[in-house]
Amino acid sequence: MVNERPTTLRARTRSLLTLRKSAMTALNKRIIVTGGPRGIAAAAVASFVRAGAHVATLGISEEPGRTLAGKLTAEGPGTVTYFPADVSDRTAVSEASHRGSDQPAAHGLRRPDGAHHPGRTLA
């Protein structure tokens, strides 16, 4: 029997180390994080905000998303804007991007939400 747990832990550790390195260079950057209100995505949003980034996050959990955005923006030094959208729904992502179209272009994108669509762009 093959134990997949060590591989999963290594992958998660690599992901967190990459996130930490990304957050350290995030001062005044504009970052998009999908799946933002919960789990590793919420940790990514918090790391970027604490590093001074301006984060736009998308997710389906509207109340937790708005709560997280308000809390982290108040703590600063970065900011969070929450856009309710199901990232597996192309129309919803497009609508969210239009709502945020007054923002400058993003410097980076983190997709810890698990939605992976090879050959497709986010919107």
Side-chain angles (χ1 to χ4, degrees):
M1 185 189 316
V2 176
N3 184 352
E4 294 181 3
R5 189 169 179 88
T7 303
T8 303
L9 289 174
R10 279 193 297 271
R12 184 167 281 179
T13 300
R14 275 194 307 270
S15 177
L16 289 172
L17 290 173
T18 301
L19 172 62
R20 185 177 213 176
K21 183 178 178 185
S22 298
M24 289 189 303
T25 60
L27 183 62
N28 293 319
K29 301 288 187 194
R30 292 172 301 280
I31 310 291
I32 299 170
V33 179
T34 60
R38 294 199 169 116
I40 197 165
V45 171
S47 292
F48 285 124
V49 170
R50 288 182 188 119
H54 304 288
V55 180
T57 187
L58 293 84
I60 58 174
S61 303
E62 192 164 347
E63 185 58 34
R66 294 197 189 285
T67 301
L68 180 72
K71 176 181 178 270
L72 292 176
T73 297
E75 292 174 5
T79 61
V80 182
T81 304
Y82 175 75
F83 296 97
D86 180 349
V87 296
S88 66
D89 179 350
R90 185 169 265 202
T91 303
V93 172
S94 180
E95 289 171 2
S97 70
H98 289 298
R99 286 193 304 270
S101 64
D102 61 332
Q103 302 295 315
H107 291 103
L109 169 68
R110 286 292 291 179
R111 295 198 64 190
D113 58 13
H116 177 66
H117 307 287
R120 285 181 40 194
T121 57
L122 186 60

